[in-house]
Amino acid sequence: MTQQTKPIELYYWPTPNGFKISIMLEELSVPYVVKYINIGKGDQFDPEFLKIAPNNRMPAIIDPEGPGGDPISVFESGAILQYLGRKFGKFYPQDERKRVAVDEWLMWQMGGLGPMSGQAGHFRIYAREKVQYGIDRYTHEVNRLYGVLDRQLVGHDYIAGEYSIADMACIGWINAHANYDQKLEDFPNLKRWHEAVNARPAVQRGLLVGKEERERAAATADKDEEHRILFGHKTK
């Protein structure tokens, strides 16, 4: 396994997307430092952050020991997981057939589970006007996706066979199932997987990264301004 001597910089806020990378770094047991990007305050729009994350979304990383020994920055959570998996040779198979299976489910999370859960949460929790069509549309789609994952987990301990970055990508979103009006009791294979992944010590540590920081921020947040920052931006 590649040795990391200088800490990886993790630009992060404790959300399901952020958890993917904090969990991966904890699983790898490599040194890292957290640079908090408070998305409720608008840190994601800071020009310095945009140099490494042009989509103004966290997480992102800077690895001071990138390819050839030179620093590299990586944005987009799926790309970060793949990069770390390749570099350290863990949780991302080298066998091409097994890697394709992991990539399939990683892309499924990036293109389906995450965005659809986010929309369900938005219409159910954050939208100032309750639009029943939006609530139903995305709640039902999340339910369908849970069914897809439940079927995949028949006969599999983990999503792509062995524990991998695909599991890390999904667990934070599944942990928030109540926000999307989903009951894990309706999905027995998913429930079993959910309990097994959350029992991993590194997952537990990764999920705690930034907990106190988020609680401090929530205690002093201007909710109207936070809502404007999170949901009111468009291209200038």
Side-chain angles (χ1 to χ4, degrees):
M1 177 176 170
T2 300
Q3 297 298 310
Q4 186 79 21
T5 59
K6 298 178 182 177
I8 292 171
E9 296 179 9
L10 169 60
Y11 293 79
Y12 168 91
W13 196 244
T15 70
N17 280 333
F19 292 144
K20 299 175 190 177
I21 313 306
S22 58
I23 289 171
M24 178 61 160
L25 291 169
E26 289 292 337
E27 290 280 13
L28 292 169
S29 297
V30 297
Y32 70 99
V33 294
V34 179
K35 309 285 188 178
Y36 288 110
I37 302 297
N38 185 336
I39 59 176
K41 288 176 58 179
D43 292 350
Q44 66 272 35
F45 299 103
D46 184 278
E48 290 302 308
F49 180 63
L50 290 174
K51 290 179 181 178
I52 63 171
N55 193 37
N56 54 262
R57 294 288 187 270
M58 66 84 220
I61 65 167
I62 294 178
D63 180 3
E65 300 171 348
D70 296 323
I72 187 173
S73 63
V74 189
F75 75 100
E76 286 296 325
S77 58
I80 299 169
L81 288 172
Q82 290 175 321
Y83 169 76
L84 294 172
R86 288 192 302 268
K87 175 175 181 174
F88 294 105
K90 295 189 70 175
F91 310 114
Y92 193 36
Q94 293 186 7
D95 176 85
E96 184 62 15
R97 290 184 182 276
K98 292 180 179 179
R99 178 168 287 190
V100 166
V102 170
D103 283 341
E104 286 177 327
W105 288 99
L106 178 63
M107 296 306 118
W108 176 86
Q109 185 282 313
M110 297 286 294
L113 181 65
M116 296 301 102
S117 297
Q119 293 291 349
H122 179 80
F123 280 100
R124 298 187 66 86
I125 299 170
Y126 297 107
R128 295 293 173 83
E129 297 179 12
K130 297 304 178 186
V131 181
Q132 194 61 45
Y133 176 84
I135 292 171
D136 292 344
R137 165 72 180 92
Y138 292 107
T139 301
H140 294 166
E141 177 62 6
V142 172
N143 185 267
R144 185 191 72 82
L145 291 166
Y146 277 39
V148 170
L149 190 51
D150 189 68
R151 291 190 295 275
Q152 172 62 16
L153 287 163
V154 174
H156 294 110
D157 290 336
Y158 299 104
I159 295 173
E162 298 177 356
Y163 181 66
S164 73
I165 59 175
D167 302 285
M168 299 178 206
C170 292
I171 190 60
W173 290 102
I174 300 297
N175 280 349
H177 59 89
N179 290 346
Y180 323 126
D181 195 30
Q182 305 300 322
K183 299 178 177 62
L184 295 188
E185 290 73 18
D186 296 337
F187 306 97
N189 302 298
L190 178 55
K191 185 174 186 293
R192 169 188 49 75
W193 167 89
H194 174 261
E195 292 171 351
V197 175
N198 276 303
R200 295 178 67 91
V203 172
Q204 295 171 10
R205 294 194 300 272
L207 292 171
L208 287 175
V209 174
K211 180 176 182 290
E212 294 181 356
E213 187 76 16
R214 180 175 55 193
E215 290 172 348
R216 281 194 295 269
T220 59
D222 180 330
K223 297 301 182 183
D224 289 335
E225 178 65 7
E226 186 175 77
H227 193 277
R228 183 192 69 78
I229 290 170
L230 288 172
F231 307 120
H233 272 264
K234 60 182 182 180
T235 299
K236 295 182 180 179

